[in-house]
Amino acid sequence: MKKIIAIAFTMVSVMAYSQEPVKILPLIPMPKEIKQLDDEFVMTNKTKVVLLNDKLKPEVDYLNNYLKTNYGFELQIISSLPKEGNYIYITQPEVQSGLTENYDLMMNQNQLLFSVENNAGLFYGIQTLIQLLPLEKTVAGVLGEPELKIPCADIKDAPRYQWRGMHLDCSRHFFAKEDVKKYIDYLAMYKFNVFHWHLVDDQGWRIEIKKYPMLTVVGSKRKETLIGKPGSDKKPSPTDKYDGIPYGGFYTQEDIKDIINYAAVRHITIVPEIEMPGHSMAALASYPQYSCNGGPFETWTRWGQSEDTYCAGNDSTFAFLENILSEVCDLFPGKYIHVGGDECLKDRWKTCAKCQKRIKDEKLKDENQLQTYFITRIEKYLNSKVKQIIGWDEILEGGLAPNAAVMSWQGITGGIAAAKQKHNVVMSPGKPCYFDHYQSKSKKTEPLAIGGFNPLDSVYAYNPAPKALSQEESKYIMGAQANVWSEYITDFSKVQYMSMPRMAAMAEVLWTPIDKKNYKNFIGRLKIHSKTLDKMGVNYCKQFQNKK
Ligand code: ACM
Ligand code: ZN
């Protein structure tokens, strides 16, 4: 049966293949291989889905849910070829190669054929199909049947990188569960597979931990928030202004499970970030006994780096963090836990008797090696829970913990150093992967941002593969991600603005083969795709619309 269908497909496809593209297909990211065809597949409420393996049903349910929400109808699922009418046929190759994210999609006016090894491949194929659907249904016949006219193409697709990440800082500003789900929807649309969830920082602890209720009673709240830019990143300055409005919010463990499940349906793994040893003021405001000097502290109301951190000389600090991580590991099914590690000032450690004793007892050279001791001890614990740690590139400072992966944000040198040491790496250099930076120089249109300048074209041009690495070393680059820090992103509409359409450009960096990338072509597709963003109610930066 499969063979007959394949032969029929080849014949129709050859007949219908046109030398000239019929029209711009608004696919983002651009697939690995695509041949546009003259035909059209008209999906109606009579179109059937032929599904031979029930294991793939969740992805068909996802499609049906999308159709129902957006066009008011869904497709009947059957297990053999229909006697009449067009259909979607989902097949799996007899020989599995293990490339679970790949998919082939072959189309003619009668059939739309997916060949996928596994659920992820079908999910990405369905995302492609969704991007080919018209914005609005048309109606036909005396009964006014809904119709979706889909331009045909033959597509063979596969991702360039295994880690295709987007980050969101929910500490500096808190985003409601429904908004986090919308963000995950954007990731799914662009075939990202990692959501790096920054849940903890100086300005707010946002994850319920049952054993330590004060983390949310105290640490999820701050008494007010800095307005605009501070006079100095280092310490409060007399010109700083505050809004006087209490701010707070956190996700219950039930919320978190709900979001994890929502992401899992979309083939997105969540990497939670629990910051240590720095960026820990919200935790220390709640439990000051785990600092070097005992506090008291407040959840921070301004941005920057704190001199106060977890005490590395106190064994009870590690018991506290391990108990927290135990709950985090029970919640999050993914392999990686992000332990932060960035911007840890070592001032307190230099004067803390317990930290200095630890340095002496462990025969460490200095405070940088004390940081390595800290991260390695946490790594050992997380490895015992069958998890891997990932941390910002400062975890290289005193030497890497044995199994740590590195997220390179201070440029690419940390990533290069880690790859040369045979550690896995995610590239996320501030330039161009920080989406809290400006994307336009127009003072009139741009809302306040932290600084920097990462316009759409620079994101699009980014290549996560450093030239300094040999082919062998490059294998440690798992991929890349873009980060949305929220010091100056006060609401979800601004999250949308800062991430769109740069997220679309990043998607193409991570998915599309480098020789298939073309910025002009991307802008052409984006112009059409932006109508979908309009329909979704996304507040995006419209600078690209002026480009030819
Ligand atoms: C960072 O931006 N501090 C990772
Ligand atoms: Zn200490």
Side-chain angles (χ1 to χ4, degrees):
M1 172 70 85
K2 272 187 211 159
K3 221 175 235 166
I4 294 167
I5 289 169
I7 291 166
F9 242 97
T10 312
M11 284 169 60
V12 179
S13 297
V14 167
M15 276 156 45
Y17 178 58
S18 142
Q19 293 302 311
E20 287 301 315
V22 189
K23 60 181 197 177
I24 297 174
L25 302 181
L27 294 175
I28 298 175
M30 179 61 119
K32 188 173 176 200
E33 286 176 36
I34 179 164
K35 260 189 212 164
Q36 287 180 238
L37 309 169
D38 275 339
D39 266 348
E40 222 171 43
F41 180 93
V42 182
M43 185 188 285
T44 72
N45 54 3
K46 302 243 165 52
T47 299
K48 304 286 189 292
V49 180
V50 184
L51 182 66
L52 306 179
N53 183 352
D54 240 22
K55 187 174 163 259
L56 300 173
K57 189 166 176 291
E59 283 64 37
V60 181
D61 290 342
Y62 176 93
L63 173 64
N64 264 336
N65 193 32
Y66 185 89
L67 293 171
K68 182 111 184 140
T69 307
N70 287 279
Y71 304 101
F73 72 92
E74 49 188 14
L75 309 178
Q76 192 191 346
I77 303 172
I78 57 176
S79 55
S80 58
L81 284 181
K83 296 209 170 56
E84 55 178 6
N86 67 7
Y87 56 88
I88 297 173
Y89 190 91
I90 298 169
T91 180
Q92 292 176 284
E94 263 145 38
V95 183
Q96 300 264 318
S97 66
L99 299 170
T100 55
E101 294 190 310
N102 295 15
Y103 69 92
D104 289 355
L105 172 56
M106 286 174 281
M107 303 161 74
N108 65 39
Q109 59 187 357
N110 303 314
Q111 305 147 341
L112 203 155
L113 177 77
F114 284 105
S115 174
V116 297
E117 288 199 7
N118 223 321
N119 299 65
L122 181 56
F123 185 77
Y124 296 130
I126 283 172
Q127 289 305 321
T128 296
L129 174 62
I130 286 172
Q131 289 190 348
L132 291 173
L133 298 176
L135 266 191
E136 304 295 342
K137 68 185 173 204
T138 43
V139 289
V142 280
L143 297 176
E145 278 182 6
E147 277 189 347
L148 299 174
K149 292 184 178 155
I150 305 169
C152 289
D154 282 349
I155 296 172
K156 279 187 187 301
D157 209 359
R160 180 174 173 205
Y161 283 109
Q162 57 169 292
W163 184 299
R164 304 181 300 279
M166 281 298 307
H167 149 291
L168 183 64
D169 172 4
C170 293
S171 170
R172 275 55 178 265
H173 284 97
F174 175 74
F175 305 108
K177 185 171 83 165
E178 291 314 311
D179 288 334
V180 174
K181 286 184 176 176
K182 279 188 202 160
Y183 193 72
I184 289 170
D185 278 336
Y186 309 154
L187 268 62
M189 170 168 71
Y190 297 133
K191 303 183 174 84
F192 286 90
N193 63 353
V194 175
F195 171 41
H196 173 170
W197 199 1
H198 190 77
L199 283 163
V200 167
D201 215 301
D202 298 314
Q203 295 79 10
W205 184 280
R206 308 276 177 233
I207 169 172
E208 178 191 23
I209 299 295
K210 305 266 192 207
K211 196 171 172 75
Y212 299 111
M214 299 312 273
L215 286 171
T216 41
V217 171
V218 172
S220 74
K221 297 176 188 145
R222 59 178 182 254
K223 70 171 194 267
E224 58 186 356
T225 304
L226 182 81
I227 300 171
K229 288 278 173 80
S232 155
D233 276 350
K234 301 272 179 290
K235 49 180 181 283
S237 71
T239 53
D240 291 349
K241 288 203 173 52
Y242 292 84
D243 63 8
I245 303 168
Y247 188 92
F250 68 94
Y251 308 98
T252 64
Q253 293 203 353
E254 286 312 303
D255 289 338
I256 291 197
K257 283 180 204 160
D258 184 24
I259 291 173
I260 290 168
N261 290 339
Y262 192 84
V265 166
R266 289 152 182 78
H267 292 272
I268 290 167
T269 302
I270 302 186
V271 176
E273 182 177 355
I274 306 297
E275 278 266 19
M276 63 190 77
H279 284 296
S280 49
M281 292 313 295
L284 293 178
S286 316
Y287 294 92
Q289 60 269 42
Y290 304 120
S291 69
C292 286
N293 61 15
F297 308 107
E298 279 187 343
T299 308
W300 266 28
T301 55
R302 63 190 173 88
W303 327 123
Q305 297 166 39
S306 163
E307 285 169 353
D308 288 292
T309 65
Y310 289 118
C311 178
N314 189 347
D315 283 336
S316 66
T317 303
F318 292 95
F320 172 69
L321 287 169
E322 287 173 11
N323 288 332
I324 290 170
L325 290 171
S326 167
E327 291 190 32
V328 171
C329 290
D330 287 347
L331 280 169
F332 290 89
K335 170 171 152 191
Y336 281 99
I337 304 287
H338 201 302
V339 296
D342 59 316
E343 298 181 322
C344 176
L345 301 180
K346 318 282 189 312
D347 305 52
R348 294 287 182 264
W349 289 358
K350 285 186 183 141
T351 54
C352 169
K354 285 184 185 164
C355 285
Q356 289 305 312
K357 182 170 184 314
R358 178 85 73 198
I359 288 176
K360 198 157 156 259
D361 290 352
E362 297 292 328
K363 300 189 176 40
L364 306 173
K365 209 168 75 199
D366 56 14
E367 286 73 25
N368 281 343
Q369 285 200 349
L370 183 57
Q371 177 170 288
T372 297
Y373 168 86
F374 195 113
I375 299 291
T376 303
R377 188 159 163 177
I378 292 295
E379 172 176 91
K380 211 178 264 173
Y381 175 75
L382 284 172
N383 287 169
S384 79
K385 307 284 272 182
V386 202
K387 299 286 187 189
Q388 291 292 125
I389 68 161
I390 182 161
W392 300 108
D393 54 38
E394 286 93 331
I395 66 170
L396 281 147
E397 281 169 357
L400 273 177
N403 307 311
V406 171
M407 194 167 269
S408 189
W409 74 280
Q410 301 177 102
I412 61 172
T413 48
I416 292 170
K420 283 185 181 291
Q421 293 173 43
K422 301 188 180 351
H423 284 250
N424 283 333
V425 171
V426 174
M427 284 299 194
S428 196
K431 222 169 174 30
C433 296
Y434 272 35
F435 290 180
D436 55 337
H437 292 194
Y438 286 100
Q439 55 195 312
S440 154
K441 289 200 163 145
S442 165
K443 290 247 167 15
K444 268 200 218 122
T445 57
E446 288 313 288
L448 179 69
I450 200 161
F453 183 52
N454 287 332
L456 186 64
D457 58 351
S458 73
V459 177
Y460 192 84
Y462 179 55
N463 181 0
K467 288 199 180 73
L469 294 180
S470 68
Q471 208 173 0
E472 190 51 36
E473 290 162 344
S474 294
K475 289 190 186 136
Y476 293 97
I477 308 292
M478 294 192 286
Q481 81 175 34
N483 300 329
V484 181
W485 299 102
S486 64
E487 285 94 332
Y488 298 93
I489 302 184
T490 47
D491 59 37
F492 190 66
S493 168
K494 199 163 170 187
V495 170
Q496 294 175 327
Y497 185 85
M498 298 306 280
S499 43
M500 298 287 207
R502 289 187 285 192
M503 190 193 287
M506 193 67 192
E508 204 141 312
V509 166
L510 291 167
W511 183 279
T512 305
I514 201 156
D515 60 331
K516 295 283 163 65
K517 280 175 69 195
N518 178 313
Y519 187 58
K520 197 164 170 222
N521 181 285
F522 169 73
I523 292 296
R525 283 176 282 128
L526 183 59
K527 283 181 180 170
I528 303 171
H529 169 73
S530 65
K531 304 225 167 43
T532 300
L533 298 182
D534 290 333
K535 189 176 167 187
M536 291 164 70
V538 175
N539 173 32
Y540 57 93
C541 177
K542 301 192 169 60
Q543 283 285 316
F544 68 91
Q545 287 175 341
N546 307 327
K547 293 206 165 65
K548 295 238 172 69

